Amino acid sequence: MGCNSSVPMGGRKHADPTIYATGTWRDNPDAVTALTKMLGGAKVQILSQQLEARFEAESVLKMLLLNGLAHEHADLLLIGTGRGSCQATVCLKGRLVGATTFASGYPKGKEPNIDDKKMMVNELVKDFPIKAVVVWGAAYFVSQEHNLPVWEDKGALDLHNGFSTTPWQPGNRYKDLQWMTSLEHLPTLVIRNIRMRDGSLWKANWGEMLQADSYIDVGSGKIAEISTRTGEQYQNVAIDGVDNIPQAAQVIMQFPTFIGDDPVTMPHKLEV
């Protein structure tokens, strides 16, 4: 499928798809402007790293509470790891406290910066009484590569028994990640997609802050169409979009959310 340099506004059923750029796009505002132009003026907004960390951590905390893996007195370190960046957020007594640190991510085809990730978590562990750790994102796949324990992808996680029950793993089992040395004494859970009690799939996301039913996340290494309620990804296309803006636009223009269709009832087969 070819990609036009722009899309006439009449080509969509509505003019306001919800599109946010994260990761390496933040450092390339000219690329975001170019992408917006190729999408016929459909605005692509940059989501700050601070807001991404806060809202994604809130979605993880909500999932843990629903599944009995945290409670109102939980003291947690919630760590999101992406291709372009990582962020660690503190939860005390079941609430986020606004303490967040940042580090670089897991860039494709390159060695990650281990030192800045150590600093990211060391600062928080030193200052707060953390009792357990939850990690998601790129570190899930790195853990798999090193045969480290991860929770089954799309597995149920409804335990209602607190930290003493598996799937919490001893933190010292994650030595091969190299940057979690200060967390080795803490129960740790590494997750991806979680099957909820109602049968829906949950995934860490920042979409609950949005009014739309679904949104498009333009990230460092992928473009995804995502449910704001659960974080389930209707579509996920691996692409380094900053380096290939026309192809990124082509992918986005095929998403039902962009066209104005329902991504659940009218899924599209992408041509990429």
Side-chain angles (χ1 to χ4, degrees):
M1 178 177 176
C3 177
N4 297 324
S5 60
S6 63
V7 181
M9 299 303 289
R12 297 196 305 270
K13 297 179 182 178
H14 58 70
D16 57 349
T18 302
I19 309 172
Y20 279 89
T22 60
T24 53
W25 290 88
R26 296 189 186 103
D27 301 321
N28 294 274
D30 290 344
V32 175
T33 299
L35 180 61
T36 297
K37 183 177 180 180
M38 288 188 174
L39 295 176
K43 187 170 180 58
V44 180
Q45 302 180 70
I46 296 176
L47 183 71
S48 73
Q49 194 173 15
Q50 290 78 10
L51 285 179
E52 180 180 16
R54 173 187 167 189
F55 289 116
E56 197 168 71
E58 284 183 350
S59 79
V60 173
L61 179 58
K62 180 178 178 180
M63 182 277 295
L64 295 171
L65 289 167
L66 287 173
N67 284 313
L69 287 164
H71 49 80
E72 62 181 4
H73 302 300
D75 300 326
L76 304 167
L77 186 59
L78 307 174
I79 306 174
T81 59
R83 181 75 62 83
S85 62
C86 298
Q87 45 272 335
T89 302
V90 174
C91 164
L92 296 181
K93 297 183 178 180
R95 300 185 66 178
L96 301 183
V97 298
T100 301
T101 53
F102 303 95
S104 60
Y106 282 88
K108 184 178 180 180
K110 299 179 181 179
E111 290 296 318
N113 184 327
I114 298 300
D115 290 337
D116 71 349
K117 293 173 184 56
K118 285 183 178 179
M119 293 175 60
M120 174 183 72
V121 297
N122 290 355
E123 179 180 341
L124 298 176
V125 172
K126 178 184 68 176
D127 293 338
F128 296 95
I130 305 300
K131 299 293 193 304
V133 180
V134 182
V135 183
W136 64 93
Y140 182 95
F141 301 102
V142 178
S143 296
Q144 285 186 317
E145 291 171 4
H146 289 279
N147 294 315
L148 307 180
V150 298
W151 191 247
E152 177 189 3
D153 188 25
K154 301 180 182 179
L157 195 58
D158 186 14
L159 299 180
H160 296 281
N161 284 316
F163 300 142
S164 62
T165 305
T166 54
W168 298 97
Q169 298 288 333
N172 60 13
R173 298 192 65 181
Y174 297 92
K175 289 181 178 180
D176 286 348
L177 292 183
Q178 300 181 56
W179 53 270
M180 293 180 63
T181 51
S182 64
L183 309 177
E184 289 183 0
H185 62 292
L186 297 171
T188 299
L189 176 61
V190 180
I191 58 174
R192 191 169 184 247
N193 295 290
I194 301 298
R195 182 73 61 184
M196 302 297 283
R197 272 186 283 178
D198 63 1
S200 64
L201 275 181
W202 171 94
K203 188 173 184 178
N205 74 99
W206 38 262
E208 287 194 16
M209 71 170 187
L210 305 173
Q211 298 300 315
D213 292 328
S214 61
Y215 65 96
I216 297 172
D217 178 4
V218 185
S220 300
K222 54 87 176 156
I223 300 175
E225 182 179 35
I226 302 174
S227 164
T228 54
R229 185 177 69 86
T230 66
E232 180 179 359
Q233 297 192 359
Y234 302 125
Q235 314 263 10
N236 186 321
V237 179
I239 177 176
D240 292 320
V242 170
D243 296 324
N244 196 340
I245 299 172
Q247 187 179 7
Q250 176 189 356
V251 168
I252 293 170
M253 286 187 290
Q254 295 180 74
F255 283 165
T257 294
F258 181 83
I259 298 169
D261 288 336
D262 183 343
V264 178
T265 60
M266 299 188 67
H268 292 204
K269 183 178 181 180
L270 299 184
E271 298 178 13
V272 293

